Amino acid sequence: MLSINVIVLIFILASIALGYIFKINIGVISIVFSYLACNAAGISGKGVVSLWPLDLFFILLSVTFFYGFPLANGTLSLIAEKIVYKTQSRPWAIPIVLYFCVVIFSGVGPGHYAAFAFISPLVMIISSQIKMHKMLAAIIVYSGACAGGFNPFTLGGRVTHALIANAGYTPEMAMRYTMAVSRNTFIAHTVVFFLAYFIFKGYKIRPSENMLPPERLAKKQKMTLLLVCIVFILVIVPAVLLAIDPANSYIKMSVKFLDPAFLSFVGIVLCLLFKAGNERDAMKNIPWDIIMMICGLGMLIELAIKLGTMDILSGWINTLNADKDSHFIVYVVGIISSIMALFSSTMGAVMPTIYPIIPKVNSTHTELLFSVVTVFATFTGYSPFSTGGALVLAGVSEDKERKKLFVQLMLLPITTIILAIILVTCGVIY
């Protein structure tokens, strides 16, 4: 079986490489490679189809469909504008408020990809009005989206939980590790923001004289906001309580009953019944390309797990780590993740590839390893060649500013990876 394991490993790397070189969705290529690898391994028909991660697909579809309503009717963007407008009398606070607006926007459910796409133009326009450095604006968008985008209710958080659970952990343990990833990602990116705030003198900006007061929330926007808050509370509160008291049977029952995927569909139906938005407009905001990428590559990863390819990879990593208490392996996994993220999506490729290896790594730092994969990969994601960096860059309308920011975003990942190593060494990420 060694030969088929080598083939699967080559197919995983080839999917990422071909997707990057030819700008083709990695998931589509992975499905073809899954079919070829399955036939080489003697698996055909229903066996190939069964590799599709149905649970993960259902979660991604439901959550992004639900959050298509507040995105389509402008609820979240209008709230962000209102908060910024209220702080114009304290110009030093505008970058800080903008950052936490992006954190909240991403953190209440849409996830970091939605924040990249929808908040970037808004932040870039405001930065031009108040003469804020475009690099600080880019960090506000990217780091804010990542800082809020991995809590248990967001797209990133649900993917994280599903990947960890699929790696063989109980739902309770998967939730504990997901909360750790969320916490550490928030800490790491918030450190980056505050460093940038002082480096690029965010405290010296001047308020805009042309900042017009935003419109009032319409009736349907108020209803959308209420439904989002209700669904968010029903999901996030039991998840937090379970992390605090994992042995409580009542909390366990609540978490199982209040499933985010089905609650999202409840929210969708209520949005339609109360005419909070249009079904077709909401569906336009479903990131089908990201879902295809994650689930398509997930087929290859699932095949690799079944055939034992991940055991071979973890065995290779373990040869580099004689002392399981050492942090050396943590840095190795982090660097591998950051290199992969230069050419592919953190959530769509890096996490699905590296997460299944972690349970087999000879280390006592399992919880830290999951966080390191996500933190190091998202730090590399500042690159304009990555999904996040490209979407942030797309929000800049001026050609001269875009070219300048392009070069700066190419250099930033080097600095942030060094910072990530320092944060791990100092125990800030734990």
Side-chain angles (χ1 to χ4, degrees):
M1 291 294 288
L2 181 60
S3 59
I4 188 62
N5 282 311
V6 172
I7 290 171
V8 172
L9 180 58
I10 291 172
F11 280 172
I12 292 172
L13 297 175
S15 296
I16 297 171
L18 291 173
Y20 172 74
I21 294 169
F22 295 103
K23 307 302 179 186
I24 302 172
N25 191 301
I26 294 172
V28 176
I29 301 172
S30 298
I31 291 173
V32 175
F33 280 149
S34 296
Y35 169 73
L36 296 175
C38 280
N39 277 276
I43 303 170
S44 59
K46 292 183 179 180
V48 181
V49 177
S50 67
L51 295 174
W52 181 264
L54 187 60
D55 291 345
L56 184 56
F57 171 77
F58 193 73
I59 290 168
L60 297 177
L61 174 63
S62 61
V63 172
T64 55
F65 188 4
F66 176 49
Y67 277 93
F69 287 92
L71 289 172
N73 64 25
T75 301
L76 296 178
S77 297
L78 184 55
I79 290 171
E81 289 178 16
K82 283 180 174 292
I83 294 172
V84 172
Y85 182 76
K86 292 290 185 182
T87 60
Q88 63 176 331
S89 60
R90 298 179 180 86
W92 60 267
I94 293 178
I96 298 173
V97 170
L98 275 174
Y99 174 75
F100 284 103
C101 279
V102 180
V103 172
I104 293 168
F105 182 101
S106 175
V108 296
H112 50 294
Y113 287 111
F116 296 153
F118 289 91
I119 292 293
S120 180
L122 173 65
V123 173
M124 291 302 174
I125 290 171
I126 293 173
S127 72
S128 296
Q129 292 177 343
I130 62 178
K131 308 300 181 185
M132 181 170 67
H133 198 290
K134 283 293 188 292
M135 194 62 179
L136 177 57
I139 289 171
I140 285 172
V141 174
Y142 184 82
S143 278
C146 291
F150 286 92
N151 79 64
F153 187 52
T154 64
L155 176 65
R158 298 315 305 169
V159 170
T160 301
H161 183 272
L163 291 174
I164 294 173
N166 290 342
Y169 294 97
T170 63
E172 293 78 17
M173 188 62 71
M175 180 56 66
R176 173 187 161 184
Y177 290 157
T178 301
M179 294 293 285
V181 170
S182 174
R183 178 194 68 231
N184 285 320
T185 307
F186 173 81
I187 291 171
H189 281 279
T190 302
V191 168
V192 172
F193 163 70
F194 278 108
L195 286 174
Y197 177 79
F198 289 103
I199 291 170
F200 297 109
K201 299 179 180 179
Y203 52 87
K204 285 190 174 182
I205 62 173
R206 295 288 179 266
S208 172
E209 297 178 357
N210 302 318
M211 192 177 290
L212 299 174
E215 300 175 0
R216 299 182 66 179
L217 285 170
K219 184 179 179 180
K220 67 178 180 180
Q221 291 174 324
K222 291 178 181 178
M223 178 56 67
T224 305
L225 182 60
L226 176 62
L227 292 173
V228 168
C229 290
I230 291 172
V231 173
F232 179 75
I233 290 169
L234 288 175
V235 172
I236 203 70
V237 171
V240 172
L241 292 175
L242 184 63
I244 297 171
D245 185 11
N248 191 305
S249 58
Y250 294 105
I251 298 176
K252 286 182 180 179
M253 288 175 60
S254 299
V255 171
K256 288 181 180 179
F257 178 74
L258 299 171
D259 183 273
F262 290 102
L263 280 177
S264 294
F265 273 107
V266 172
I268 291 165
V269 172
L270 291 175
C271 282
L272 294 172
L273 290 176
F274 288 105
K275 301 187 184 301
N278 182 280
E279 181 181 348
R280 290 187 178 181
D281 291 339
M283 290 191 74
K284 289 177 183 177
N285 289 303
I286 298 175
W288 292 110
D289 55 337
I290 296 170
I291 293 174
M292 178 63 73
M293 185 192 305
I294 294 171
C295 294
L297 185 60
M299 292 179 71
L300 262 181
I301 301 300
E302 181 62 26
L303 180 62
I305 293 171
K306 285 186 175 183
L307 297 177
T309 310
M310 293 306 173
D311 292 334
I312 295 172
L313 281 175
S314 60
W316 174 76
I317 292 175
N318 286 332
T319 61
L320 303 174
N321 189 47
D323 183 4
K324 65 180 181 180
D325 293 322
S326 169
H327 273 76
F328 174 74
I329 200 67
V330 174
Y331 301 125
V332 171
V333 171
I335 296 300
I336 291 172
S337 302
S338 63
I339 292 171
M340 285 184 65
L342 278 172
F343 311 102
S344 58
S345 164
T346 296
M347 195 171 70
V350 181
M351 289 166 59
T353 303
I354 304 296
Y355 270 23
I357 301 172
I358 292 176
K360 304 177 188 303
V361 172
N362 183 32
S363 174
T364 57
H365 306 294
T366 303
E367 184 172 308
L368 177 60
L369 282 168
F370 283 117
S371 294
V372 161
V373 170
T374 305
V375 170
F376 274 68
T378 54
F379 271 11
T380 308
Y382 281 106
S383 165
F385 300 114
S386 70
T387 307
L391 287 172
V392 170
L393 198 64
V396 183
S397 56
E398 303 94 340
D399 188 57
K400 184 179 178 181
E401 290 281 1
R402 190 187 297 114
K403 288 178 180 178
K404 183 179 177 181
L405 187 59
F406 180 89
V407 176
Q408 292 172 334
L409 288 174
M410 284 184 65
L411 300 175
L412 184 59
I414 300 171
T415 306
T416 52
I417 292 303
I418 294 171
L419 176 62
I421 293 171
I422 294 171
L423 293 176
V424 173
T425 304
C426 296
V428 177
I429 298 176
Y430 60 95

